[in-house]
Each structure stands twice: as C-alpha cells, then as structure tokens.
Amino acid sequence: MNISEKDIARLASFPEQNPNPVMEISFDGTITYSNLATKKYFPDLQDKGITHPVFSEIRNILTQSVTVDVENFKCEVIVDNYIFEQKLYSLKESNLLRIYCSDITKRKEMESRLNNLALFPEQHPNPVIEANIKTGGITYMNPGCEKRFPELSAQKTEHALFNEIKKKLDPKRDFQCEVSVDNSIFEQKIYFIPNSDLIRIYSNDITERILTQKSLSRL
C-alpha cells in the first residue's frame, strides 16, 4: 500500500497531539523520542535519562533480549503526584521500545474513594440492609445486621424489621419510620435505589434514647 507524504505527516501528528506521554527508547537506554506531553509531565527527562522514575519498571525489560515479547506488558508507576499506566510495544526492526503512559491519577483516586465509601456499611454497628421490594429477597446485609438478626436471611421481608416499611412503600419515595423488634426500637430511613426494585434500609437502635425521654417525661 502506497502512503503519500501527506498521509505520513498526518499519522506522525498522532503521538504529538496525544495528551499522555509517548516515548521511544533503545535497548541500551537511550531516549530517541518523546512527545510534547512527555516534556510537560517530565521536564527533567532528558537530564535524568533512563534513571528517571518513569522508567522504574521498564529498566528490567532493557536487561533482557531484544526479542523479548513485551506486547502484553503492562504496569503502573508513580511519578511525583501522578499515577501512570504503561504499555509497551517492541519495534524489533529498529531495536526500540515504544512506551505509552496513560495518566490514571483521577481514576485511582476515585477507586480509592469508592473503596473507602464501601467500608462504611461494613463497619456500621447498626443494621444496614438492601432488599428487593418485588421479590422480597435480601440482596445485602452488613455484618452488624447479620450479628443482630441472623434469622433475617431466611425470613426475608417477612421479618419484623419490615413491618412498618411495607405499609409505606407506595408511593415510591424515600421515607423514615420507627419499628419495634423484640425489646428494641429502631428508627429506620429507607432510600429507593434509582432504576431498580431495591431499597436501602438504615436501622438505628434508639431504644435507650426513647427510654430516657420517657423517664424525663415522668419527672
């Protein structure tokens, strides 16, 4: 296939316009190319050369044979306050490695935030439940709920925790109520999960608070 000079120039502009770093290095560690984004992220790259932190994982590859298969190589490196995912391609005809670095800092921060948020119901001492209002099944119980109501998974929405909830499910709108279970009183907040038949229930044990209020009223 014949490629015109115009096509070559157009294709050559791709790495230059890439907002993420693109580099080429030889197997002896010489940097033969870096795009504009590389210069922006790593202004000290030319000074440090192959000792730069961006090559911390790749330096191991350079000690191996030129014929090593690096097409499936993928790693993550931290440089300053950025996290990069790196992918390598071997240009065997030129004895070069092409390195694509994707800035995944924001994605990693979001994943970390989501992981931290996911711990909240797990660590909550009061029952946290998700239930399907159509099937009556329990889709999630936190450890606090499993410890206090081990029979809930078998009884499902027939459990006493749902006595007041079932009376107020229509219309489909978030609400709160109180329910008595055995000798305890729970304040419940119910949230409908959008685009699903699920509700999330936070049950807060307010027994002591109610008893205190009654004692104060008698006084």
Side-chain angles (χ1 to χ4, degrees), residues 141-218:
M141 292 190 299
N142 74 334
C145 182
E146 292 174 348
K147 180 180 179 181
R148 188 150 190 178
F149 303 111
E151 72 282 2
L152 180 64
S153 58
Q155 295 182 14
K156 302 179 182 178
T157 54
E158 296 303 314
H159 192 278
L161 272 173
F162 290 86
N163 286 349
E164 295 299 321
I165 294 172
K166 287 188 289 187
K167 298 176 184 178
K168 301 182 179 182
L169 276 176
D170 198 30
K172 198 171 183 179
R173 190 166 50 195
D174 299 343
F175 63 94
Q176 62 183 54
C177 58
E178 290 183 9
V179 65
S180 296
V181 181
D182 299 327
N183 296 318
S184 299
I185 303 171
F186 292 90
E187 180 182 69
Q188 295 181 305
K189 293 185 178 180
I190 295 84
Y191 299 92
F192 287 87
I193 300 176
N195 304 316
S196 74
D197 295 318
L198 301 177
I199 57 172
R200 186 170 296 144
I201 306 151
Y202 296 86
S203 300
N204 185 32
D205 189 342
I206 59 170
T207 311
E208 289 189 12
R209 191 179 82 193
I210 295 296
L211 293 175
T212 301
Q213 289 173 350
K214 288 182 177 179
S215 297
L216 290 173
S217 296
R218 284 197 297 269

Side-chain angles (χ1 to χ4, degrees), residues 28-83:
D28 64 4
T30 302
I31 301 170
T32 59
Y33 171 77
S34 60
N35 70 343
L36 293 174
T38 303
K39 298 177 177 68
K40 176 185 174 182
Y41 276 103
F42 317 123
D44 56 346
L45 185 70
Q46 290 300 325
D47 292 335
K48 293 185 177 179
I50 196 60
T51 65
H52 194 279
V54 74
F55 298 117
S56 57
E57 295 292 329
I58 295 171
R59 281 193 290 269
N60 294 328
I61 295 290
L62 299 180
T63 61
Q64 302 178 42
S65 168
V66 174
T67 58
V68 66
D69 179 18
V70 298
E71 303 304 322
N72 296 317
F73 180 89
K74 187 165 69 172
C75 67
E76 293 179 9
V77 294
I78 299 175
V79 182
D80 296 328
N81 296 318
Y82 295 98
I83 304 173

